[in-house]
C-alpha cells in the first residue's frame, strides 16, 4: 500500500454519520481548504451528504461509496467525514476481496473503529485511526494533529509524541471558546513490550466481539479510548468486556477522557487496579488519542513498541 504524499487524491465519504449532521458541505469548507493547502486533491463520494432519520445514509449507499472508493484507481486514500454510531452495520456487506486487491489508506476515528479493525481482520491491510475530514477545520491544536497525521501516512516507522497542550471543548464550533491544558502522558505500570496494534474507541471496538470482524493477532497491544457519550461507569464495564475478549495484551495505551465522561484520576486508578493483568504489562494513559484534541494518528495492524518507563510509543508499518 503506497503512502500518501502531497499530490495524492483523497476520497471523502461518510461510513457513519452524514456530513449533514455537522452542518453540510459549506460548513466544512475550511477542512477542504486545509487539505488542499497541504497539497492533496479531494473528491466526495456520491452519498456522503445523504441522511435519514438517524443522520446517516442507507447501508446500501454507504457500502456503495466504500466500494467505489476502493475500486477507483485514481483514489490514493480515503477519509471518513466524521464518526457516528452505526458503521458496524456495513461489515457483512463489504467486499473484502475488492478491498484486499485495491489496498489504499483509509483513516478516521471514533465509530470508524469498527470498519478499520474489520478491514484489517479480514484482509490484513493496515488502516489508520486519526483525523477525519471534518477534523481539519479545527484551528487550535491543528499543527500537532496535522504533523502527526502526515508522519503516520508518509513514513514506514514513526514515534508518537505528546502534544504541547490539549482541550476537551467543542472544537467544531468556532463560536465557542477553547480551553487548553498542558499535556501529561502518565504511567500506570512500567515495562516495555511490542505487538500488533489493534483497538480504538472502546465501546465501538467492543461491538466486534464474537463476530468474524474482530482482529485476532497472536501478540497484540490494545489502544483504547472512550467518547463523550460514555461515562466512567460505561468505561468500567466496557474495559472488563474487552479484557475478557482479549485477555493477554502485551501493553495497553489509554486515551484521555473527555470531560463529559466525568472520569477523575482516583476513579481511573481504582478501575485499573481491579485487573491483575494490567499490573503485569506496560500501561500508559492520558495520551493524545481520539476524543480530546488534538489527536495523534496510529496504524492498526502495525507493530508497536510501548515503553512505559520512557513514556514512548514507536510504530513500524
Amino acid at each position: 500500500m503506497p503512502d500518501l504524499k502531497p499530490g495524492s487524491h483523497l476520497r471523502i465519504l461518510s461510513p457513519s454519520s452524514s456530513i449533514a449532521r455537522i452542518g453540510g458541505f459549506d460548513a466544512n469548507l475550511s477542512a477542504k481548504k486545509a487539505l488542499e493547502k497541504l497539497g492533496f486533491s479531494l473528491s466526495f463520494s456520491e452519498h456522503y451528504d445523504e441522511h435519514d432519520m438517524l443522520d446517516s445514509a442507507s447501508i446500501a449507499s454507504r457500502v456503495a461509496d466504500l466500494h467505489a472508493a476502493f475500486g477507483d484507481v485514481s483514489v490514493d486514500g480515503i477519509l471518513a467525514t466524521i464518526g457516528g454510531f452505526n458503521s458496524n452495520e456495513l461489515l457483512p456487506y463489504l467486499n473484502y476481496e475488492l478491498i484486499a486487491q485495491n489496498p489504499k489508506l483509509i483513516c478516521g476515528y471514533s465509530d470508524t473503529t469498527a470498519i478499520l479493525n474489520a478491514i484489517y481482520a479480514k484482509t490484513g491491510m493496515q488502516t489508520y485511526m486519526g483525523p477525519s475530514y471534518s477534523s481539519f477545520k479545527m484551528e487550535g491544536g491543528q499543527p500537532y494533529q496535522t504533523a502527526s497525521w502526515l508522519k503516520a501516512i508518509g513514513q514506514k516507522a514513526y514515534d508518537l509524541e505528546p502534544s504541547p497542550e490539549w482541550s476537551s471543548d467543542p472544537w467544531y464550533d468556532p463560536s465557542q471558546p477553547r480551553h487548553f491544558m498542558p499535556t501529561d502522558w502518565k504511567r500506570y505500570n512500567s515495562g516495555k513490550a511490542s505487538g500488533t496494534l489493534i483497538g480504538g474507541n472502546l465501546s465501538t471496538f467492543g461491538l466486534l466481539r464474537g463476530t468474524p470482524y474482530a482482529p485476532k493477532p497472536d501478540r497484540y497491544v490494545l489502544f483504547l479510548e472512550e467518547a463523550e457519550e460514555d461515562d466512567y461507569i460505561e468505561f468500567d464495564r466496557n474495559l472488563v468486556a474487552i479484557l475478557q475478549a482479549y485477555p493477554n495484551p502485551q501493553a495497553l495505551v489509554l486515551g484521555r477522557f473527555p470531560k463529559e465522561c466525568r472520569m477523575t484520576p482516583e476513579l481511573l486508578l481504582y478501575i485499573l487496579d481491579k485487573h491483575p493483568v494490567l499490573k503485569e504489562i506496560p500501561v500508559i494513559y492520558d495520551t493524545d488519542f481520539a476524543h480530546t484534541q488534538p489527536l495523534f494518528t496510529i496504524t492498526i495492524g502495525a507493530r508497536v513498541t510501548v515503553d512505559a518507563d520512557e513514556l514512548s510509543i514507536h510504530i513500524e508499518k
Side-chain angles (χ1 to χ4, degrees), residues 38-75:
L38 291 172
F40 297 97
S41 64
L42 273 63
S43 62
F44 295 81
S45 66
E46 181 180 356
H47 306 285
Y48 81 105
D49 62 349
E50 178 185 318
H51 56 284
D52 57 16
M53 293 174 66
L54 298 179
D55 288 320
S56 64
S58 68
I59 292 173
S61 292
R62 286 178 282 152
V63 168
D65 282 354
L66 276 162
H67 288 168
F70 276 104
D72 188 335
V73 295
S74 77
V75 172

Side-chain angles (χ1 to χ4, degrees), residues 16-17 21 80 82-88 107-117 128-132 135 199-205 207 225-230 289-291 295 300:
S16 299
S17 290
R21 183 185 170 202
I82 190 65
F85 69 93
N86 58 358
S87 72
N88 66 320
C107 183
Y109 75 101
S110 192
D111 190 60
T112 313
T113 294
I115 287 177
L116 299 178
N117 283 275
Y128 291 78
M129 180 159 294
S132 355
S135 303
N201 176 252
L202 176 56
S203 54
T204 305
F205 187 57
L207 298 176
E225 58 83 28
E226 203 63 282
E228 297 89 344
E229 294 82 6
D230 293 323
F289 186 27
H291 279 87
L295 55 101
I300 293 171

Side-chain angles (χ1 to χ4, degrees), residues 256-304:
R256 276 188 301 262
F257 291 84
K259 58 187 178 183
E260 292 85 355
C261 292
R262 300 184 294 140
M263 182 65 78
T264 66
E266 295 76 17
L267 276 170
L268 178 58
L269 294 179
Y270 177 77
I271 291 169
L272 298 181
D273 282 345
K274 293 196 287 184
H275 302 287
V277 66
L278 301 184
K279 297 179 175 65
E280 300 171 357
I281 62 172
V283 178
I284 298 176
Y285 65 101
D286 277 1
T287 64
D288 297 274
F289 186 27
H291 279 87
T292 62
Q293 292 76 40
L295 55 101
F296 56 49
T297 298
I298 59 176
T299 307
I300 293 171
R303 178 178 174 82
V304 60

Side-chain angles (χ1 to χ4, degrees), residues 7 9 108 117 132 147 160 165 167 172 188 193 206 225 262 288:
H9 171 201
N117 283 275
S132 355
L160 299 179
E165 56 185 6
S167 168
Y172 46 83
Y188 172 74
E225 58 83 28
R262 300 184 294 140
D288 297 274

Side-chain angles (χ1 to χ4, degrees), residues 3-260:
D3 292 324
L4 293 190
K5 57 186 181 299
S8 295
H9 171 201
L10 298 176
R11 173 66 52 81
I12 312 303
L13 48 75
S14 302
S16 299
S17 290
S18 165
I19 199 171
R21 183 185 170 202
I22 51 173
F25 181 82
D26 290 343
N28 292 275
L29 269 176
S30 57
K32 180 175 182 290
K33 292 175 181 177
L35 285 162
E36 289 173 340
K37 188 175 180 180
L38 291 172
F40 297 97
S41 64
L42 273 63
S43 62
F44 295 81
S45 66
E46 181 180 356
H47 306 285
Y48 81 105
D49 62 349
E50 178 185 318
H51 56 284
D52 57 16
M53 293 174 66
L54 298 179
D55 288 320
S56 64
S58 68
I59 292 173
S61 292
R62 286 178 282 152
V63 168
D65 282 354
L66 276 162
H67 288 168
F70 276 104
D72 188 335
V73 295
S74 77
V75 172
D76 301 303
I78 299 165
L79 275 183
T81 300
I82 190 65
F85 69 93
N86 58 358
S87 72
N88 66 320
E89 292 179 334
L90 311 185
L91 304 185
Y93 309 105
L94 292 178
N95 184 337
Y96 295 101
E97 184 176 347
L98 169 70
I99 293 170
Q101 290 174 352
N102 297 276
K104 54 193 67 178
L105 181 143
I106 179 169
C107 183
Y109 75 101
S110 192
D111 190 60
T112 313
T113 294
I115 287 177
L116 299 178
N117 283 275
I119 287 176
Y120 166 64
K122 298 292 283 186
T123 71
M125 188 184 90
Q126 295 177 356
T127 59
Y128 291 78
M129 180 159 294
S132 355
Y133 167 66
S134 57
S135 303
F136 287 92
K137 72 180 181 182
M138 182 182 77
E139 296 180 2
Q142 190 63 251
Y144 168 89
Q145 183 164 275
T146 296
S148 177
W149 181 70
L150 290 173
K151 187 164 58 172
I153 67 174
Q155 298 180 12
K156 296 298 182 186
Y158 63 99
D159 294 312
L160 299 179
E161 299 174 349
S163 64
E165 56 185 6
W166 67 279
S167 168
S168 183
D169 299 313
W171 57 268
Y172 46 83
D173 184 353
S175 69
Q176 298 197 42
R178 303 287 301 279
H179 304 87
F180 286 92
M181 293 156 282
T183 295
D184 183 20
W185 290 9
K186 299 181 180 70
R187 177 192 313 106
Y188 172 74
N189 197 55
S190 298
K192 181 178 180 180
S194 300
T196 300
L197 194 161
I198 58 173
N201 176 252
L202 176 56
S203 54
T204 305
F205 187 57
L207 298 176
L208 303 181
R209 298 193 313 272
T211 75
Y213 314 109
K216 297 181 178 67
D218 290 334
R219 293 172 59 87
Y220 49 87
V221 172
L222 293 171
F223 275 63
L224 303 172
E225 58 83 28
E226 203 63 282
E228 297 89 344
E229 294 82 6
D230 293 323
D231 64 12
Y232 61 90
I233 296 173
E234 288 302 306
F235 171 75
D236 185 25
R237 68 205 299 257
N238 288 336
L239 180 63
V240 170
I242 287 298
L243 291 177
Q244 290 171 357
Y246 292 94
N248 298 302
Q250 303 303 302
L252 170 65
V253 177
L254 291 173
R256 276 188 301 262
F257 291 84
K259 58 187 178 183
E260 292 85 355

